[in-house]
C-alpha cells in the first residue's frame, strides 16, 4: 500500500513537464519567440509576458500587406486589445508593438514622421510587447504592399 504522499509524488512526476512549461510562461522564464518574414528578410523577436503578447501569440500565424510610415512597418491583424496601462508613443528601434487605434502589428526600425531628433515616436500610444533580435534596420527594404508573415518561433 502506497502512502498518500508517495501517490501525490507520482502524480506530480507524471505532470511535471507540463507544470514546468506553465511556470516558465507564467513567471516569464521562457520567452515567447516569433519569426517575421518579408521578401528575403527573416528576423526573430522575443515577446514579453503581457496580455497583448499572449493574445497575438495564440493567433499565430498571421500575415498582412506592409504599410510603411517612415521607418515603421505596420499591418492590420484580427486582434482587438485595449491600450495597456504602460502604452506609450515613445518607442525604441527594434520594438514590436500593437497599435490599438488601428488594430495593427507594428515594427519600429528607425524614425517615423512624428519622431524628434532624440526619440522615435509612434502615431499614438502603442502596446510594446516585444523586441527584434538583431539589426531591425534590415526592414528598410520592405515596401508598401509587401507580404509580411509572422509565425511562432
Amino acid at each position: 500500500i502506497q502512502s498518500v504522499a508517495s501517490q501525490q509524488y507520482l502524480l506530480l512526476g507524471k505532470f511535471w513537464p507540463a507544470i514546468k512549461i506553465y511556470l516558465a510562461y507564467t513567471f516569464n522564464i521562457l520567452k515567447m519567440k516569433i519569426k517575421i518574414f518579408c521578401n528575403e528578410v527573416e528576423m526573430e523577436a522575443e515577446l514579453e509576458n503581457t496580455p497583448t503578447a499572449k493574445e497575438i501569440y495564440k493567433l499565430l500565424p498571421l500575415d498582412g500587406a506592409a504599410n510603411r510610415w517612415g521607418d515603421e512597418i505596420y499591418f492590420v491583424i484580427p486582434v482587438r486589445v485595449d491600450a495597456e496601462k504602460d502604452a506609450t508613443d515613445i518607442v525604441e528601434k527594434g520594438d514590436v508593438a500593437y497599435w490599438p487605434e488601428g488594430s495593427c502589428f507594428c515594427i519600429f526600425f528607425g524614425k517615423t514622421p512624428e519622431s524628434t531628433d532624440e526619440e522615435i515616436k509612434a502615431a499614438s500610444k502603442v502596446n510594446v510587447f516585444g523586441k527584434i533580435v538583431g539589426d531591425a534596420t534590415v526592414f528598410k527594404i520592405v515596401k508598401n504592399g509587401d507580404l509580411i508573415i509572422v509565425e511562432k518561433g
Side-chain angles (χ1 to χ4, degrees):
I1 298 177
Q2 291 181 330
S3 70
V4 172
S6 65
Q7 289 174 351
Q8 288 174 339
Y9 180 76
L10 288 172
L11 186 61
L12 178 63
K14 180 179 178 182
F15 294 106
W16 184 242
I19 292 168
K20 284 195 312 189
I21 292 170
Y22 170 79
L23 292 173
Y25 279 111
T26 300
F27 295 103
N28 205 22
I29 297 166
L30 184 61
K31 294 259 186 199
M32 293 177 283
K33 294 182 180 182
I34 60 173
K35 288 192 177 179
I36 303 167
F37 304 91
C38 186
N39 301 330
E40 60 269 11
V41 174
E42 180 180 333
M43 294 298 286
E44 185 177 89
E46 289 187 344
L47 306 187
E48 299 300 325
N49 188 16
T50 67
T52 299
K54 290 175 186 174
E55 189 66 28
I56 291 171
Y57 191 79
K58 74 181 182 184
L59 291 177
L60 295 178
L62 295 169
D63 62 60
N67 296 287
R68 286 285 302 266
W69 191 58
D71 285 346
E72 173 194 357
I73 295 169
Y74 65 95
F75 61 97
V76 176
I77 60 174
V79 173
R80 300 291 180 261
V81 178
D82 291 330
E84 294 182 14
K85 65 179 182 247
D86 61 347
T88 181
D89 63 345
I90 306 300
V91 296
E92 296 179 3
K93 188 183 292 185
D95 279 351
V96 177
Y98 173 78
W99 183 38
E101 286 183 29
S103 300
C104 291
F105 186 104
C106 308
I107 303 166
F108 294 91
F109 51 95
K111 299 206 182 267
T112 68
E114 290 289 317
S115 297
T116 65
D117 289 339
E118 297 83 34
E119 54 196 12
I120 301 171
K121 287 191 77 171
S124 58
K125 290 189 175 190
V126 295
N127 298 338
V128 175
F129 67 91
K131 191 78 164 179
I132 298 292
V133 177
D135 182 8
T137 61
V138 298
F139 287 104
K140 285 185 180 278
I141 68 167
V142 176
K143 298 179 206 60
N144 282 325
D146 286 352
L147 177 66
I148 296 186
I149 299 169
V150 181
E151 300 176 348
K152 293 180 180 177

